[in-house]
Structures are given as C-alpha cells and as structure tokens.
Amino acid sequence: MSWLRDLPVRRKLSLMILLTCAAVMLIACAALGAYELHDYRRSMARDITVLADILAKNTRAAVAFQDESTATEMLGALQSEPHVEMAVLFTREGARSGGYTRPGTVAQEHITPTSTADGHRFRVGRIAVFHPVELNERRIGTLYLQVDLEGI
C-alpha cells in the first residue's frame, strides 16, 4: 500500500470518486436486474392466469358433460403456444377429463387437483397454475397448466 501513500492528493481523490461511482453503479445494476426479474415473473404469472381463465371458460361444457375427446381437442390448441408444456382438465371428483402434453415433455410430479390450492407456483424452470372450472358459479373441475420459463 506504499504506492497509495506516494500518490498526489488529486489522484487519491479521483481514485476515491471512481471507486465510489463504480460501487454505486454495481448496486444500481443489481437492483435493476432484481426488479426486472421480479416484474417479469409477476407479468408472466398474470399472463398464464389469464390463459388458464380463458381455457377454463372454453372447456367448461366438456367438463360438465365429461366429454374427454372435446376437452382434449380444445386443449390441443395450446400447441401454438411454444412454452406451454402441459394442460390437464380434472373433474370435481379429481378424475382426468382431458389433456394436452407438448411432445418431449415429461411430467415433473404426480398432479392431482386436490393436492394444492388454486393459484400459481414457480418451480424449477417452470410455472404451474391450478385454476377452477366453474359453471353457474359452481366449481365443476380444475384446470392445471404448466409453462416453461425459457423466455425468462
């Protein structure tokens, strides 16, 4: 540290200002990065919840009449969404009533609508949403939607 003692006062002040500005810039960049990540996750959860709500409303007749082929056909439209890994419809009793799985996707866990409450959950590399399927304000089933987080 003898080299620091040998520097003129002007250089010492410039060095202190440079180090202070660099530290502030690093802190600001870290805070901005954390905010952007949090905001992206929040907006992604909102978008996936809206998609689940639309799917639940479009498939409620298939769930009500226990028409698995129609439910599977309607969920098949998700193939145009590249990040949707799987979607499964369950009846109120918990029986599978149709589904869609993107080719190459392996289910991460045993999915049952009674194993968790409605809402979204972030897991490693994906977001999972359980959304109620309702008819006349009465729950008739549950929609499970799993989306990867490659976009993040």
Side-chain angles (χ1 to χ4, degrees):
M1 285 289 227
S2 65
W3 63 272
L4 189 59
R5 273 187 269 147
D6 296 336
L7 286 177
V9 173
R10 182 179 211 141
R11 291 248 176 153
K12 287 179 185 177
L13 286 174
S14 295
L15 184 61
M16 290 300 288
I17 291 171
L18 176 69
L19 291 175
T20 303
C21 289
V24 168
M25 290 295 289
L26 284 173
I27 291 169
C29 286
L32 182 63
Y35 171 76
E36 286 295 323
L37 181 63
H38 173 72
D39 186 54
Y40 183 78
R41 287 172 58 114
R42 187 176 46 115
S43 68
M44 181 173 231
R46 184 185 61 238
D47 292 347
I48 299 306
T49 302
V50 168
L51 179 62
D53 188 47
I54 291 168
L55 285 170
K57 287 179 179 168
N58 286 340
T59 57
R60 63 182 161 199
V63 173
F65 292 110
Q66 297 178 353
D67 187 357
E68 188 172 342
S69 63
T70 302
T72 300
E73 182 181 332
M74 293 185 91
L75 292 176
L78 290 171
Q79 66 186 352
S80 63
E81 291 286 335
H83 296 293
V84 174
E85 293 182 332
M86 75 173 23
V88 181
L89 275 169
F90 297 98
T91 62
R92 186 175 48 195
E93 294 78 28
R96 187 181 169 118
S97 179
Y100 162 79
T101 303
R102 182 174 70 194
T105 301
V106 178
Q108 297 295 316
E109 59 190 52
H110 182 67
I111 304 161
T112 59
T114 57
S115 65
T116 185
D118 294 336
H120 67 276
R121 281 142 198 86
F122 283 93
R123 297 195 169 94
V124 178
R126 61 192 36 84
I127 180 173
V129 176
F130 283 91
H131 194 77
V133 179
E134 298 177 337
L135 182 64
N136 297 330
E137 298 180 15
R138 204 177 103 243
R139 186 182 196 121
I140 60 171
T142 302
L143 172 69
Y144 172 78
L145 195 58
Q146 178 177 302
V147 179
D148 67 27
L149 296 177
E150 288 181 11
I152 206 164

